[in-house]
Amino acid sequence: MAGVDYTERIPNNVNLGENRRLQRALEEWQPKFLEWWRDMGPHGSQANDVYLRTAVSVDPQGWAQFGYLKMPDYRWGIFLAEPEPARAIPFGDHKGRPVWQDVPGEYRGVLRRLIVTQGDTEPASVEQQRHLGRTCPSLYDLRNLFQVNVEEGRHLWAMVYLLDAYFGRDGREESEGLLQRRSGDPDKPRILGAFNEKTPDWISYLMFTYFTDRDGKYQLASLAESGFDPLSRTCRFMLTEEAHHMFVGETGVGRVVQRTCELMRQGKTDDVRTYGAIDLPTIQKYLNFHCSVSLDLFGSEISTNAANFYTMSLKGRFEETKKSDDHQLKDATYPVTELDRDKVTVREEPALPSLNERLRDDYIADCQRGVDRWNRIVKEHGVDFELRLPHRAFHRKIGVFTDVRVSPDGRLLTEAEWGAKKHEWLPTPADEAYIESLMQPVTERGKFANWIAPPARGVNGQPVDFEYVRLA
C-alpha cells in the first residue's frame, strides 16, 4: 500500500521534500489557495465540523479514512497513483515507446494547455456551488456537497503540482491564474462555458454532479491514457475520487424522482407542486438543460486539436487499452452526427478528427444507463412517464449545431417553432422561481426536505440519521 506522508506541510506521495525548489513554489501557492477557499469556498460553513473522507493511500482498497474536520483544516495534497512497471505509450505516433517522465519539449505548450483547462474546472465548480449549503435538504446532503467541494479543491492541487513541477515559470504563472479567474465573472471567466453557468439550487446541483462531473470522468480517463506518465498517474487517482461525485448526482436525482412518484401515488395526481415536490416534466427540463450544456464540453464534432492530442500521444480515448484497433487510427473512420442542409444525418468521417464525437458517444451511453435506473424507479411506482436524454443536437452552443434549433427528439425547427415550444423543454423563469421556493434548509438530524427521499443507506456504514455535519 502506498501511504501518504501527512507529516509534511503539504501531504504528498511524490517525495516533495527531495525537491526544495518545487516545495518552496507550492508552499508559496498554498496560502493563496487557502485565501481563495475562504473567499470562494462554501459560504458561511468554514467553522462546521464535517464528517469527511481523507485520502491516506493511493491503493484502491482502503485508500480513505473518515472523521470530523473543519473544511479549512482539510489536508489538501498531491497524490499520484502507483507507477505501472515498464509502462509503454498505448497510442498515437509514439505507441510502444516507454512513457515520458518529463515533458517532451515539442509538446510543452499543448500539454500545458490541456492541464490548465482541466485544472480550471476544479475551482470553478466550487465557486458555482458555494452558496448551496444555505439551502441543504438534509445534513446527509450537506455533507456530500462539502465532500465534493474539498475533493474538487484537491483536484486543483493535482493540476497545480504538474504545472509547477514540470513547466517552470510558465507553470507557476498558470497556477496563479487558476486562482484569479472566477466562475461567471464577465472580465475573468472560467475557460469552459459550463463552468460559468449558475448552480442556483439543489436540483441544478444534482444534475450538475450527474452530467457535468461525468464529463470530468471521461476527460480524466482520456488523460489517464497519456504518454506523459505523471499526468496519467495523477488522473488515475483523481478518478477514484470522482466516482463519489457522480454517485451524489445519480442517487440524488433518483431520490428526487422517488419522492415525486411517492407523492403522485399518494395524492393520485400529477400535480405534485401542491405538495411541495418537483413534478416529472420539470425534472425533465433540468435534465435537458444540464445534459446539453455538458455535451458542449466535449468540443466540436470535427476537431484538429483532438486529432493532434491523440497523434502526439498526449490524450487518448476512453479505455484506450481495451480497444482492439491499431491505436493510431490514420486510416480509420468513425460515424459522426452532422447537419446536411435541412436534416440531421450521420456520416463516416476520418477517425482522428472525430475523437471528440467518439468520446461524446461513450459519455451519452453512460448517461443513458443512469436515466434507465431513474426510469425503473418511475415504473416501480406505477407512473406512466419516461425520462429521456435529449438529442445530442438539442440546445448546443458548440459544434455544428450551434446555429440551428433542434427539438429534444432530434427534429430541426424554425426559430418560430423553437420560440413556441422551448418553454416545454427548458426551465422557465416560473419553474426557477418555484424551485427556489422549495430551497428551505433542513438541518435536523434524520430529517429531509419534502421534495427528496432519504437515501437507501448512510455514508461509510453510518445510519441515515447520523450527524454528518455539526453546525457551528
Side-chain angles (χ1 to χ4, degrees):
M1 180 180 294
V4 174
D5 187 353
Y6 273 93
T7 65
E8 297 282 347
R9 178 173 166 185
I10 300 172
N12 71 92
N13 70 342
V14 296
N15 297 320
L16 186 59
E18 296 180 5
N19 187 335
R20 295 298 301 163
R21 182 202 61 78
L22 175 59
Q23 187 176 40
R24 283 195 301 272
L26 291 170
E27 287 178 350
E28 286 176 9
W29 188 82
Q30 187 178 42
K32 299 172 188 176
F33 168 83
L34 291 172
E35 181 181 1
W36 168 82
W37 180 268
R38 286 190 296 270
D39 291 344
M40 301 305 298
H43 193 280
S45 302
Q46 309 287 11
N48 296 336
D49 289 318
V50 186
Y51 186 69
L52 295 172
R53 72 177 184 184
T54 302
V56 293
S57 162
V58 294
D59 190 298
Q61 306 300 319
W63 64 273
Q65 66 181 18
F66 287 78
Y68 284 105
L69 282 173
K70 291 179 172 60
M71 283 184 287
D73 297 333
Y74 191 81
R75 297 300 308 280
W76 287 283
I78 300 156
F79 317 129
L80 275 64
E82 287 293 281
E84 296 178 11
R87 179 175 178 248
I89 296 172
F91 65 93
D93 281 356
H94 304 280
K95 178 178 178 290
R97 300 177 189 175
V99 291
W100 301 304
Q101 299 304 327
D102 292 302
V103 178
E106 67 270 33
Y107 301 151
R108 187 178 183 84
V110 175
L111 190 54
R112 189 178 77 232
R113 180 154 56 100
L114 278 171
I115 293 170
V116 168
T117 301
Q118 178 62 45
D120 194 69
T121 69
E122 313 295 353
S125 62
V126 176
E127 292 165 358
Q128 289 172 297
Q129 298 160 14
R130 67 182 305 260
H131 61 282
L132 290 174
R134 294 172 158 182
T135 57
C136 64
S138 72
L139 291 181
Y140 167 88
D141 292 291
L142 184 62
R143 177 262 166 211
N144 282 346
L145 168 71
F146 291 160
Q147 184 71 62
V148 170
N149 289 162
V150 295
E151 288 179 351
E152 299 291 17
R154 204 207 65 73
H155 293 178
L156 171 60
W157 269 94
M159 296 295 109
V160 165
Y161 163 73
L162 294 175
L163 290 169
D164 283 23
Y166 296 96
F167 294 90
R169 179 181 297 176
D170 291 341
R172 292 191 293 276
E173 289 176 356
E174 296 284 13
S175 296
E176 298 287 332
L178 291 170
L179 296 178
Q180 291 167 359
R181 289 185 287 275
R182 295 285 185 269
S183 177
D185 189 301
D187 298 318
K188 290 187 176 180
R190 291 296 174 179
I191 294 170
L192 299 177
F195 293 90
N196 290 302
E197 297 282 352
K198 292 182 179 180
T199 307
D201 53 67
W202 276 78
I203 190 66
S204 297
Y205 166 70
L206 295 173
M207 291 291 182
F208 181 99
T209 49
Y210 184 75
F211 287 107
T212 307
D213 279 326
R214 192 168 305 275
D215 162 78
K217 165 189 170 180
Y218 280 83
Q219 302 298 341
L220 290 173
S222 299
L223 293 171
E225 304 287 349
S226 181
F228 179 47
D229 204 43
L231 174 60
S232 170
R233 292 170 57 202
T234 297
C235 291
R236 274 186 277 145
F237 183 69
M238 289 170 70
L239 283 164
T240 304
E241 295 174 317
E242 196 76 22
H244 171 70
H245 307 182
M246 293 179 291
F247 166 85
V248 169
E250 181 177 333
T251 59
V253 174
R255 290 162 52 215
V256 177
V257 170
Q258 176 185 335
R259 184 57 179 155
T260 296
C261 292
E262 289 171 352
L263 290 169
M264 289 175 70
R265 191 164 63 177
Q266 291 171 18
K268 297 182 173 58
T269 179
D270 293 343
D271 185 16
V272 293
R273 289 194 179 193
T274 58
Y275 297 98
I278 306 172
D279 53 285
L280 293 175
T282 299
I283 294 173
Q284 179 68 63
K285 291 182 185 182
Y286 277 80
L287 186 161
N288 288 343
F289 176 80
H290 285 274
C291 180
S292 61
V293 167
S294 299
L295 288 174
D296 274 345
L297 291 169
F298 291 88
S300 297
E301 289 78 3
I302 303 297
S303 169
T304 303
N305 281 339
N308 290 339
F309 297 156
Y310 190 87
T311 301
M312 293 172 180
S313 305
L314 299 180
K315 181 180 180 183
R317 293 169 291 177
F318 179 67
E319 297 186 335
E320 178 72 45
T321 55
K322 295 183 180 180
K323 301 191 187 306
S324 58
D325 52 35
D326 68 359
H327 301 279
Q328 292 185 315
L329 308 179
K330 295 185 187 298
D331 300 316
T333 62
Y334 190 77
V336 175
T337 305
E338 297 179 338
L339 190 64
D340 183 7
R341 286 174 292 190
D342 60 348
K343 62 179 180 180
V344 177
T345 187
V346 176
R347 187 164 57 218
E348 289 290 322
E349 295 284 357
L352 279 171
S354 305
L355 284 167
N356 284 348
E357 192 72 346
R358 178 162 193 160
L359 194 60
R360 193 168 9 240
D361 283 344
D362 291 334
Y363 169 82
I364 289 171
D366 196 7
C367 288
Q368 185 61 54
R369 287 188 280 271
V371 174
D372 290 343
R373 287 187 281 271
W374 297 337
N375 280 326
R376 283 200 289 273
I377 297 171
V378 177
K379 188 173 182 180
E380 287 166 1
H381 284 81
V383 173
D384 184 18
F385 191 92
E386 183 179 2
L387 293 164
R388 298 175 184 267
L389 291 179
H391 191 274
R392 71 179 64 220
F394 173 78
H395 192 235
R396 292 288 302 283
K397 296 180 180 178
I398 290 177
V400 297
F401 300 108
T402 300
D403 297 322
V404 296
R405 299 299 194 181
V406 180
S407 67
D409 61 1
R411 291 178 294 110
L412 278 175
L413 306 173
T414 66
E415 195 67 36
E417 289 173 324
W418 170 264
K421 299 287 285 184
K422 67 179 181 181
H423 69 280
E424 298 179 15
W425 301 328
L426 292 168
T428 65
D431 293 326
E432 293 167 352
Y434 173 69
I435 296 295
E436 184 179 357
S437 75
L438 301 181
M439 297 297 111
Q440 304 300 322
V442 176
T443 56
E444 186 179 347
R445 284 179 59 173
K447 300 294 185 183
F448 291 81
N450 189 52
W451 53 267
I452 190 169
R457 60 189 63 85
V459 176
N460 190 39
Q462 301 294 348
V464 171
D465 63 354
F466 183 71
E467 191 177 17
Y468 288 105
V469 182
R470 294 170 176 165
L471 300 176

